[in-house]
Every structure is written in structure tokens, then in C-alpha cells.
Amino acid sequence: MLSETDRKLLRVAYDEALAGYEEGGCPIGSALARGDELIARGRNQRVQQGDPIAHGEMDCLRKAGRQTSYRDMTLYTSLSPCMMCTGTIIQFGIPRVVIGENQTFEGNIDFLRERGVEVVLVQDPDCIALMTRFIREKPALWNEDIAEE
């Protein structure tokens, strides 16, 4: 069950995704929080910065700066994380991830759960609609983002 804080912070991730879409990039957003305190927010910046590693979760974590621990944080992401972002979540010991949707990209939810991460999958209609629109409008850019031909 989503708390009011979860709903609010998932919306922050969605708003970041929408901003990325409006900038011509991949619409994937993220937020990092300790309880109800927003630590950082970010979005996929691959197109905007020409950086192949600047996925939404990675941008958010960069903006969070150095943390002594992530073990009391939740990462919110509009889309199920790829393997690179999944590995970073595990490496940093982030114990909880709230995912907007995995209908357009399955991601690595099982891998996260197998490693003890609590995963909350929302299937948010706004997240689904935005990614569906993006994939329809820019399939080549989407395939580049997920490293598929």
C-alpha cells in the first residue's frame, strides 16, 4: 500500500520524467528520500548531456551527493530500473524502491527482490501513458537508451 508520502514522491519522479520528455530526452524520472524528506531529484539526461550513463536514477543519485548511508532511504523511479541502475541500488544498499511502472520496460524487479530490496510496483497510469507515448514517438531513441538495436 502506498502512503501519502509515497504518492507525493512518486509524483516528483513523474514530474522529472515529464520535464525530460519536454526537453527532448527520455522521460524517466527519479527521487531519493529519507522518510518524507526529499534528498534529491533527477531525470534521464542522456540526450541533454550526451552522457550514456545519465539515467534517471543515476542523475538523482549524483545530485544527492555523497551520503554516509542510504540504508534509511527510498528511491522513487517512474520506470522499472535497468540493470545498471539496479546494480547501483544494490551497491548503495538502498533498501526500498517505489516504481511507477514496468509495463513498457520490465526492468529488474526480481533481481532487486532477490537481493533483499523491498520493491513497490505501482503501475501508475500517468507513468505508463508518458512512456508509451515516448516509445511510439521516438522508438530509435528508446532503443538506444536500453541498448537494443
Side-chain angles (χ1 to χ4, degrees), residues 115-134:
R115 280 146 186 85
V117 176
E118 177 190 350
V119 176
V120 179
L121 179 58
V122 178
Q123 301 299 22
D124 178 80
D126 291 338
C127 291
I128 294 168
L130 181 58
M131 275 307 298
T132 300
R133 179 178 175 192
F134 168 72

Side-chain angles (χ1 to χ4, degrees), residues 71-89:
R71 299 205 185 280
D72 59 347
M73 294 191 191
T74 298
L75 183 70
Y76 298 83
T77 181
S78 62
L79 183 66
S80 187
C82 72
M83 187 52 79
M84 176 178 66
C85 296
T86 293
T88 302
I89 291 163

Side-chain angles (χ1 to χ4, degrees), residues 9 11 13 25 30 33-34 37-38 44 52 56 66 70 75 84-85 87 89 94 100 104 122 128 133 138 142:
L9 292 167
R11 195 66 191 178
S30 189
R34 179 177 285 117
E37 176 192 3
L38 179 64
N44 186 301
R66 291 177 56 198
Y70 297 84
L75 183 70
M84 176 178 66
C85 296
I89 291 163
I94 298 170
T104 60
V122 178
I128 294 168
R133 179 178 175 192
K138 297 184 178 183
W142 172 236

Side-chain angles (χ1 to χ4, degrees), residues 21-49:
Y21 174 83
E22 291 172 348
E23 294 167 352
C26 300
I28 304 162
S30 189
L32 182 68
R34 179 177 285 117
D36 62 357
E37 176 192 3
L38 179 64
I39 303 298
R41 57 194 296 161
R43 59 182 167 268
N44 186 301
Q45 298 275 344
R46 292 182 73 254
V47 171
Q48 299 91 318
Q49 295 181 6

